[in-house]
Amino acid sequence: MKVLVIGSGGREHALCWAIAKSPECDELYCAPGNAGIDQVAVSVPIAAEDLDGILGFVADNGVDFVVVGPEGPLVAGLVDRLEAAGIKAFGPSALAAEYEGSKGLTKDLCAKYLIPTAEYARFNEPDAAKEYIRIHGAPIVVKADGLAAGKGVILCRNVNEAYAAIDHIMTESAFGDAGAEVVIEEMMAGEEASFFALVDGKVALPLVTAQDHKAVFDGDEGPNTGGMGAYSPAPVVTPEMEARIMDEIITPTIRGAAADGRPYKGVLYAGLMITEAGPKLIEYNVRFGDPECQALMMRLKSDALDMLLACAEGRLDKYKIEWHDEAALCVVMAAEGYPGAYEKGTEIKGLDKAGEVKDVMVFHAGTMEDEGRILANGGRVLNVTALGKTVKAAQKRAYEAVARIDWPEGFCRSDIGWRAIKR
Ligand code: AMP
Ligand code: GLY
């Protein structure tokens, strides 16, 4: 079978690495890919958002199955167009991808189907938004409704910060059209978890649990990023908690989405707050988490290609996913300055030596190759991912590999996995 993966991050490197192991995978392409993906797939220079380019490549090369990594092309309708052309694809339709594309749409779904989440209101007019803030007080959370590359959420400690957030998002249009509407939410307290379920339209199959580290610095200090590290399993999601998440959040979502004419297919990623009152939904993403996917793919024992195909073909009712018992932990190495401004083009050495550490994979995110040298080409650059008997053992291996990487212009958090290890 000929497979095309869409995307260029560590998530897509991990997906390509896992898919390439399948005996059913004859040819593997990735658009646009990166220097690490080149080791397991053929990178093709087509942007993830170039839907016409992707459709053309698929037709010209007889691609049988397309796995879409990032949300952008999903929201833009890539899966709809592929399916209309008779090509199998992993990922939701544009209508279902709107659950990530519009935070307000997801909140309305929660309200309609009694799915636990933070109390909220939607506004498309700044004065009304500020009036709501004045009445409700702080702390309070202000969110741009649309896609803002993970930056559209502002946690406000006092009302002045919240008013400023409204100005920033609505009046100054910091996120363009994505901020034409805002969602204002109650601030929830608890521990976060990333929960993934494969959904084939009817059946939802939970994957193993994971936790991300959004803040840039140790101890969860500093601004939020796309994710500085992840591990699996996440002990905060006990088997009882998982059952509640499925019953109270995932199952009513799948039913409600179908009833509302947006049947879901693909991986549904629930960002959760585990509160004293139980699990509450923060938001939905319509794709794998990055870097959570890197940890999940290291733990996956089943054939990844067959698993993703089973989801796309609606065969999950008979499917059982097998996992390795070991824990996995992923440390993100980023360019100095990220998530603010950072330099590109700095050289990274020692990747071979890092990859020699037992049970370690160095997935590439923002990298490029230049005459045999590997150069940084983005904010999040490398994802050093290890397996171990426990989260602590995986952490030790991952940092052993990190120490072998010679990249003076890069940095990473030194405490990935701390919540699991502290328990
Ligand atoms: P999101 O992009 O919606 O996942 O939000 C980014 C981060 O903001 C989340 O991972 C949480 O840490 C935080 N956050 C978002 N909404 C809330 C909320 N209602 N209460 C507390 N924290 C939140
Ligand atoms: N790791 C967070 C995300 O993928 O959105």
Side-chain angles (χ1 to χ4, degrees):
M1 159 168 271
K2 291 187 183 181
V3 183
L4 169 66
V5 173
I6 306 297
S8 61
R11 168 181 53 207
E12 287 76 23
H13 188 182
L15 287 170
C16 285
W17 171 79
I19 290 169
K21 291 192 283 187
S22 169
E24 296 302 315
C25 181
D26 300 313
E27 284 175 44
L28 181 59
Y29 301 98
C30 186
N34 65 37
I37 289 172
D38 287 345
Q39 296 160 10
V40 288
V42 177
S43 291
V44 289
I46 302 172
E49 285 74 30
D50 179 3
L51 270 48
D52 291 334
I54 292 167
L55 266 290
F57 180 86
V58 164
D60 292 348
N61 294 275
V63 170
D64 303 293
F65 184 43
V66 179
V67 176
V68 187
E71 63 278 13
L74 293 168
V75 172
L78 178 56
V79 168
D80 308 72
R81 285 191 56 186
L82 288 165
E83 288 181 348
I87 308 296
K88 283 179 195 150
F90 176 80
S93 66
L95 275 174
E98 270 302 292
Y99 290 118
E100 178 164 357
S102 164
K103 293 189 191 292
L105 181 73
T106 289
K107 298 297 286 190
D108 289 351
L109 178 89
C110 290
K112 186 167 172 190
Y113 296 102
L114 307 178
I115 296 161
T117 187
E119 223 184 280
Y120 78 107
R122 303 174 71 170
F123 296 95
N124 53 19
E125 206 276 308
D127 288 341
K130 287 182 180 173
E131 179 61 11
Y132 181 87
I133 291 165
R134 196 184 61 75
I135 292 165
H136 283 259
I140 200 158
V141 184
V142 177
K143 302 183 174 186
D145 182 75
L147 293 182
K151 295 183 183 129
V153 173
I154 305 179
L155 306 175
C156 308
R157 283 160 300 181
N158 56 55
V159 288
N160 285 331
E161 278 182 17
Y163 294 154
I166 296 293
D167 289 338
H168 187 59
I169 296 174
M170 301 191 90
T171 317
E172 295 154 24
S173 303
F175 309 108
D177 287 348
E181 188 176 325
V182 293
V183 173
I184 304 182
E185 283 182 17
E186 154 209 8
M187 179 98 74
M188 296 186 285
E191 184 172 339
E192 284 181 54
S194 301
F195 193 87
F196 300 91
L198 289 186
V199 184
D200 68 1
K202 295 189 198 81
V203 177
L205 216 51
L207 306 186
V208 285
T209 57
Q211 193 174 61
D212 185 15
H213 298 61
K214 288 229 161 76
V216 69
F217 300 128
D218 282 10
D220 296 328
E221 298 287 334
N224 270 355
T225 68
M228 292 301 292
Y231 63 89
S232 169
V236 63
V237 184
T238 58
E240 298 73 45
M241 190 57 72
E242 175 173 321
R244 284 191 67 179
I245 294 165
M246 288 302 290
D247 287 350
E248 296 172 23
I249 299 181
I250 304 294
T251 303
T253 295
I254 302 311
R255 290 210 184 110
D260 287 356
R262 300 176 190 269
Y264 197 88
K265 198 167 64 68
V267 60
L268 183 64
Y269 161 8
L272 300 175
M273 190 70 86
I274 309 299
T275 72
E276 274 174 3
K280 290 192 180 183
L281 183 73
I282 299 174
E283 63 161 1
Y284 277 127
N285 296 307
V286 298
R287 50 172 174 83
F288 281 107
D290 185 342
E292 293 97 318
C293 182
Q294 291 81 313
L296 295 186
M297 289 303 120
M298 289 284 281
R299 291 192 65 202
L300 182 66
K301 204 170 174 184
S302 294
D303 181 311
L305 175 55
D306 187 50
M307 176 184 83
L308 299 172
L309 259 178
C311 180
E313 291 173 346
R315 301 190 266 117
L316 289 182
D317 55 332
K318 295 180 202 78
Y319 212 81
K320 185 165 183 319
I321 306 171
E322 311 261 2
W323 301 94
H324 293 292
D325 289 332
E326 285 107 320
L329 183 136
C330 170
V331 176
V332 172
M333 297 184 75
E336 207 62 73
Y338 173 80
Y342 53 82
E343 212 184 316
K344 283 188 185 178
T346 55
E347 186 174 358
I348 302 162
K349 293 183 191 152
L351 289 170
D352 289 346
K353 271 193 251 150
E356 283 164 13
V357 179
K358 188 175 174 305
D359 287 333
V360 163
M361 271 301 301
V362 182
F363 295 117
H364 289 221
T367 64
M368 60 175 284
E369 207 215 281
D370 181 46
E371 295 178 0
R373 299 182 314 149
I374 301 294
L375 306 180
N377 190 39
R380 292 191 295 172
V381 174
L382 297 169
N383 304 148
V384 182
T385 314
L387 284 175
K389 270 211 160 64
T390 58
V391 171
K392 192 163 185 189
Q395 184 197 53
K396 185 161 174 282
R397 276 207 186 119
Y399 281 109
E400 216 176 293
V402 165
R404 296 182 180 202
I405 294 174
D406 176 9
W407 180 33
E409 297 84 2
F411 77 100
C412 63
R413 275 181 63 160
S414 68
D415 65 346
I416 299 304
W418 71 270
R419 284 180 197 273
I421 292 164
K422 202 180 91 180
R423 265 168 195 263

